[in-house]
Amino acid sequence: MLIPNNLLQNFLGGEQLVLISQLAEATNKLPKMLERLKKRLNQVLNTANPTDAVKLTKFVDLIQQLVTYLTDLMDALNINATTLNERVYWISVNSAKDPLTIRLSFGISPDVQFLANNVYPFFEPVTFTGATLLPSKKSQYTFNSLQIKPEETKVRRMKSEYSAASKAKIFLVDDFATGKVDSPEFSEFLAHSIMEIFQKSQRQTLVLFNSLAMIRSVYQIMHQEGFTANNLVLAQGVHGTATRVSRRFIHNEPALLLGANTFWQGGVDFPGHLLENLVIAQLPFDSPEDPYNHARYSIAKRQGHNPFYSITIPRTTLKLRQGIGRLLRTPNDFGTIYVLDPRLLTRHYGETIIANLRTDIPIQRINLAQAVNQMEQFFAKQPINRKD
């Protein structure tokens, strides 16, 4: 739940502000008191038996945690007028696990020029490098996000050392062009499409999702149909963290990895034979329900912009380009890319995203059966053994 700043200010009335002031005063005294307590306990530990020593050490650790929590709380409640206008606050209630716990969170407001005012002035002119920095030539998204002015920024685009035109193919699969992506039918479509792609290729395959919930749904269908009994399927959130499933994926071939979140980004690297098939199951749209995203969209609207086109589409384009970039990591890499999310073909913004992918890889709208047939022909022309 997002808290408007003016509502937060009204909510914390005179009595509450007095209590906060008293809590802040007590919190400021705690570190010195803790240090005195530690010195006293160190004297006691010299004569204490092992059992008591362990208990006393744990007690000190708990006190240290309390000081840390209270310090963080006071930082969050530091609501003078200037600070209040520079922050976004939200409350989280986990009703499923612990309905009695309420978490107050805050972040720097998106319209505060924090980098421009507090970071850049202390350095020489900053250089940003990356393969997916700008979503398009006209978009101001990256400049706004980094708080830099386009007219004061020099942009250089380096040519790739190799052409991707003959190294890969992108298939925009149109079999589900009339369905809804939040339906059980779409989960069924994804599961069966992924199974068919993997069975016909038997190569290392990474499938990128936008939610762990969809991964669980697709994996459950694969499991119910017996696919997981004869094929190694590693699902993030089902078989462990991203790090854990990545390690198993690297050491087991052929394997099928269902991942989200970090698997879209540059921290994931499966070069050579470790990845030859990439499947985009869902377009990487940010959740509009995320409190911080909600704040960004509200600010964009206030400034007269359409947040879907000024924020959502540029971010999705960049993340999609990052995802596609997981396949070709070295000059010798090759493989096929499938996009199963129909919105790239059925929504008007799909043309904008496709136009700004900036890739030499051939893009083809095609049905799944034809795509799988072309994939088999493509791999038949590639080197047989790539592990050496």
Side-chain angles (χ1 to χ4, degrees):
M1 177 174 68
L2 192 69
I3 310 176
N5 288 345
N6 59 344
L7 179 60
L8 184 68
Q9 199 168 28
N10 293 334
F11 173 76
L12 295 172
E15 293 183 5
Q16 288 83 1
L17 290 175
V18 170
L19 290 175
I20 291 173
S21 177
Q22 293 174 346
L23 182 59
E25 184 178 353
T27 301
N28 290 333
K29 295 178 180 179
L30 276 176
K32 291 183 178 180
M33 296 174 65
L34 180 61
E35 287 303 316
R36 290 200 298 268
L37 177 62
K38 284 181 178 179
K39 290 180 180 179
R40 177 59 181 152
L41 286 177
N42 285 333
Q43 297 173 357
V44 175
L45 287 173
N46 292 329
T47 58
N49 62 57
T51 301
D52 290 339
V54 171
K55 291 180 179 178
L56 288 171
T57 302
K58 288 183 177 179
F59 173 71
V60 173
D61 289 340
L62 288 173
I63 297 296
Q64 182 66 66
Q65 291 180 29
L66 174 62
V67 172
T68 301
Y69 292 149
L70 287 175
T71 302
D72 290 344
L73 175 63
M74 296 317 304
D75 190 25
L77 295 176
N78 180 18
I79 55 169
N80 60 69
T82 300
T83 303
L84 187 66
N85 291 327
E86 292 178 348
R87 290 179 177 177
V88 176
Y89 293 86
W90 64 92
I91 287 179
S92 304
V93 181
N94 193 333
S95 57
K97 293 184 178 180
D98 189 359
L100 298 180
T101 298
I102 297 177
R103 174 174 294 179
L104 173 64
S105 305
F106 69 94
I108 298 174
S109 179
D111 60 346
V112 172
Q113 297 293 299
F114 181 82
L115 293 174
N117 297 330
N118 300 283
V119 178
Y120 297 153
F122 301 99
F123 293 88
E124 293 295 326
V126 182
T127 300
F128 299 94
T129 61
T132 53
L133 281 177
L134 301 175
S136 69
K137 293 182 179 179
K138 296 181 179 180
S139 176
Q140 299 296 303
Y141 170 77
T142 300
F143 297 102
N144 293 338
S145 299
L146 296 176
Q147 299 170 15
I148 54 180
K149 298 178 180 179
E151 63 273 14
E152 298 177 0
T153 305
K154 294 182 180 179
V155 178
R156 296 288 184 270
R157 292 183 175 87
M158 308 299 180
K159 190 174 182 181
S160 175
E161 60 181 0
Y162 63 92
S163 174
S166 61
K167 298 288 186 178
K169 290 179 177 291
I170 297 178
F171 302 123
L172 307 183
V173 177
D174 60 6
D175 295 57
F176 199 79
T178 59
K180 295 182 178 180
V181 296
D182 57 352
S183 65
E185 291 77 17
F186 185 57
S187 298
E188 292 277 350
F189 166 72
L190 288 178
H192 289 100
S193 298
I194 294 165
M195 288 189 287
E196 183 173 353
I197 292 168
F198 187 70
Q199 285 177 322
K200 292 296 178 65
S201 68
Q202 286 298 302
R203 293 171 181 263
Q204 292 290 92
T205 302
L206 170 65
V207 187
L208 296 177
F209 291 81
N210 202 33
S211 75
L212 294 177
M214 182 61 82
I215 289 179
R216 289 191 291 269
S217 176
V218 169
Y219 177 80
Q220 186 65 25
I221 295 170
M222 292 180 172
H223 182 70
Q224 290 173 349
E225 299 199 6
F227 182 79
T228 58
N230 301 310
N231 300 276
L232 179 57
V233 182
L234 303 168
Q236 181 185 359
V238 177
H239 299 108
T241 63
T243 301
R244 183 176 181 181
V245 295
S246 293
R247 288 173 180 168
R248 292 188 62 189
F249 183 69
I250 290 172
H251 296 293
N252 294 273
E253 296 183 50
L256 174 63
L257 195 162
L258 313 181
N261 305 324
T262 58
F263 284 102
W264 285 90
Q265 300 168 0
V268 176
D269 195 14
F270 301 126
H273 62 91
L274 294 178
L275 180 60
E276 293 179 334
N277 260 339
L278 178 70
V279 180
I280 309 293
Q282 297 172 286
L283 293 179
F285 285 106
D286 286 339
S287 171
E289 297 177 359
D290 178 90
Y292 197 74
N293 288 337
H294 181 79
R296 298 177 72 202
Y297 300 157
S298 298
I299 291 171
K301 288 180 181 177
R302 219 165 44 226
Q303 295 173 344
H305 303 298
N306 182 329
F308 185 74
Y309 287 100
S310 63
I311 299 175
T312 302
I313 292 301
R315 279 182 61 84
T316 301
T317 302
L318 288 175
K319 287 188 69 174
L320 182 58
R321 285 167 56 190
Q322 287 179 323
I324 291 174
R326 300 308 94 219
L327 182 65
L328 303 181
R329 309 300 293 163
T330 74
N332 296 321
D333 290 355
F334 58 80
T336 57
I337 301 169
Y338 293 79
V339 180
L340 302 180
D341 193 318
R343 290 174 291 182
L344 206 58
L345 297 171
T346 59
R347 302 296 177 89
H348 58 278
Y349 56 74
E351 294 183 4
T352 302
I353 295 177
I354 293 173
N356 290 305
L357 288 181
R358 295 191 185 179
T359 177
D360 295 331
I361 303 175
I363 302 175
Q364 186 177 4
R365 177 170 181 164
I366 194 172
N367 64 49
L368 184 63
Q370 294 172 328
V372 169
N373 182 55
Q374 288 198 25
M375 173 192 69
E376 292 178 300
Q377 296 177 20
F378 174 81
F379 282 130
K381 299 176 182 179
Q382 307 303 327
I384 296 176
N385 188 353
R386 305 180 65 217
K387 297 183 182 182
D388 298 334

